[in-house]
Amino acid sequence: MGKIILTGERPTGRLHLGHFIGSLKNRLLIQDNDDIEKFFVMIADTQALTDNADNVDKVKNNIIQVALDNLSIGLNPNKVKIFIQSQVPQLSEITCYFMNLVTVSRLYRNPTTKDEIHQRGFENRVPAGFLTYPVSQAADILGFNTDLVPVGDDQLPMIELAREIARTFNNTYGNVFKEPKALVPKQDVCARLPGIDGKLKMSKSAGNCIYLSDEPEVIKQKVMSAYTDPDHIKVSDPGKIEGNVVFSYLDAFVKEDSFKKYLNEYENLDELKAHYQRGGLGDVKVKLFLNNVLQELLEPFRNRRKEYEKDLDEIYRMLFKNGELARQEVSKNLERMKSAMGLDYEKFLIK
Ligand code: TRP
């Protein structure tokens, strides 16, 4: 039996380099594996509403953007089924049953939601749906009987909770779920890319993103304004690599042939870093190099996106059709789950 993959994101904005390196790139790498049986990418509109209840338009309008972003990087729509979460209501039913297997204090201990509650200033006014979205995410993951979840490292607590819920369910009602595994990028900088302003995480709300759909001039302007080492004032000054986002991005995006193509006086990134640390290498030169590396990465994405944008109806039709597939998949698992729980009431009928 091949593996089942599920991943996804909330449609609250266009996707950026942080998404690409944290999760989208792994989708590309695994889509061609022979041992993959099913591969779903979920546009998590239901989850997005947990902190956007009064902003349905934002969520609704970004569904197509997130679909386009996923297609633009080269995911093959014949292999990877992109669908909209709210079109699979069975997931909400599973969430209801899972709610009873988790304590409220356990939910308050989730480091990712803790951060988000703080960022959003929810403190004493956390929407119940927001506090419990990790349970609904466990339902997403287990509802598809998922083996592997390719995500950035901020999602690890969600997968941990899904594993706990699978265990608790199996112990309480009988063996139904397998314990899913996360697939995170190997390098730390890839699992969580900093923003261009040097803040810990690239995020739309911080306004420090390079989007996958950014035009070339915008990419360049963002790269040239990126945070480096504030003490590296003169070219001759020694520079710091740690916390310098230009080098973090190079760590994440430089390819084997990048130096040959764009900066052939250096063999590799180690040499470039050593020169910067010694002094005598200016920020502008490194930034122009990074700009070339990123333009090369993003150009084909932008072009593919423009092709797909020519027929949005076709994309929506694809999403709806995949929704049907997803419903079938989750219904199967919901039935198994309900019969393990003893909720298969049709058995009451004698004839
Ligand atoms: N929490 C994810 C995000 O914020 C989105 C998501 C919802 C998800 N359900 C999922 C990711 C299931 C992986 C698997 O982007």
Side-chain angles (χ1 to χ4, degrees), residues 20-37:
F20 178 73
I21 207 75
S23 165
L24 300 177
K25 189 175 174 191
N26 267 340
R27 294 178 200 178
L28 275 182
L29 293 175
I30 55 186
Q31 72 172 344
D32 294 322
N33 283 7
D34 292 336
D35 68 338
I36 288 181
E37 188 181 320

Side-chain angles (χ1 to χ4, degrees), residues 6-10 42 44 47 133 137 140-141 149 151 155:
L6 173 87
T7 182
E9 45 268 324
R10 301 176 201 167
M42 187 177 80
Q47 186 175 110
Y133 88 68
Q137 187 157 338
D140 304 335
I141 295 170
V149 192
V151 280
Q155 296 297 304

Side-chain angles (χ1 to χ4, degrees), residues 103-168:
T103 63
V104 173
S105 61
R106 172 68 182 86
L107 293 173
Y108 273 114
R109 281 200 310 273
N110 183 315
T112 298
T113 34
K114 233 191 223 169
D115 278 357
E116 289 172 325
I117 286 170
H118 182 68
Q119 278 163 21
R120 288 161 177 70
F122 281 154
E123 259 78 54
N124 299 316
R125 306 173 46 88
V126 192
F130 191 80
L131 181 69
T132 54
Y133 88 68
V135 181
S136 132
Q137 187 157 338
D140 304 335
I141 295 170
L142 301 178
F144 282 87
N145 206 12
T146 305
D147 295 285
L148 260 190
V149 192
V151 280
D153 71 350
D154 61 324
Q155 296 297 304
L156 289 174
M158 310 302 168
I159 290 138
E160 194 45 50
L161 184 71
R163 294 167 61 89
E164 277 175 42
I165 292 180
R167 244 173 278 149
T168 310

